Amino acid sequence: MSALGAQFDGHLVLIGLPGSGKSTIGRAVARELGREVFDFDIEITQRTGRSIPQIFADSGEGYFRKMEIELTEELASRSPAVAAPGGGWITNPGVVALLRPPGRLVHLRISPTSALHRLSRSRVVRPLLLGADPAATMEALWVARKDLYQQADIEVDVEVNDSQRVIDLIVALAHDLTGGLG
Ligand code: S3P
């Protein structure tokens, strides 16, 4: 626990492509800030007793997105946390407005190619990337979502910056009580 100084009074929400490091960075930032981490996919898995691929296969993506919206509504009434939603959370209309203000969004920026490369070392299955051409799918996700990700208050390039630098930049944003933007 290294940085329990005054913090802005809202959720810190990490957004970005699958593979950008939202869950890992989110855990580390939460630890440094002394906040809870709210990892959407973990919450959904625990609450349903089903894995994310199972939910997509049995109930469909629409059902999963509805759960994301419900969890966002719940999160909005909780004390300030570090939130790590899945990469497609931002495509749900209205979710950003549920958290911001006072929440702040951080885009963990990564190229689709690097994102896919990182995922090749992950044990977590991403149902949207199970098709024949995951590289094309990841590129399509980026094209469809980049404007949404760019609604973030700050963007941190996770390829240029090492993990500790990414964590430090986000922790600094939480301690900036002037609005933190720009
Ligand atoms: C998804 C990303 C996943 C998970 C689900 C859908 C997406 O989370 O929520 O497979 O639509 O991009 P990560 O971004 O943590 O991989």
Side-chain angles (χ1 to χ4, degrees), residues 4 14 33 43 46 56 59 66 74 76 78 90 92 94 96 102 108 120 124 134 147 150-151 167 176:
L4 290 171
L14 308 186
L33 293 173
E43 290 290 331
Q46 284 175 349
F56 269 70
S59 310
K66 208 163 138 268
E74 180 185 321
R78 289 166 73 136
I90 196 87
N92 292 304
V96 171
L108 300 184
S120 65
V124 179
D147 289 348
Q150 279 160 12
Q151 296 175 57
I167 293 161
D176 183 343

Side-chain angles (χ1 to χ4, degrees), residues 3-128:
L4 290 171
Q7 298 174 20
F8 85 104
D9 192 25
H11 295 299
L12 205 42
V13 186
L14 308 186
I15 59 173
L17 282 176
S20 57
K22 300 176 296 292
S23 295
T24 310
I25 298 289
R27 273 195 302 277
V29 168
R31 197 163 46 239
E32 290 214 17
L33 293 173
R35 291 182 175 211
E36 299 274 325
V37 66
F38 193 90
D39 187 308
F40 278 60
D41 284 357
I42 291 178
E43 290 290 331
I44 290 172
T45 301
Q46 284 175 349
R47 292 176 190 214
T48 59
R50 292 190 284 165
S51 69
I52 305 296
Q54 267 171 341
I55 296 172
F56 269 70
D58 299 347
S59 310
E61 181 175 350
Y63 176 86
F64 176 79
R65 298 295 173 210
K66 208 163 138 268
M67 287 205 73
E68 287 186 313
I69 295 170
E70 285 168 10
L71 280 181
T72 310
E73 287 163 353
E74 180 185 321
L75 179 63
S77 64
R78 289 166 73 136
S79 51
V82 176
W89 169 83
I90 196 87
T91 64
N92 292 304
V95 286
V96 171
L98 286 169
L99 302 181
R100 183 181 71 178
R104 292 178 186 170
L105 266 59
V106 179
H107 177 204
L108 300 184
R109 186 178 176 121
I110 189 169
S111 69
T113 312
S114 299
L116 200 61
H117 183 68
R118 289 191 187 190
L119 287 186
S120 65
R121 301 190 302 248
S122 164
R123 276 174 292 117
V124 179
V125 175
R126 270 72 176 185
L128 292 180

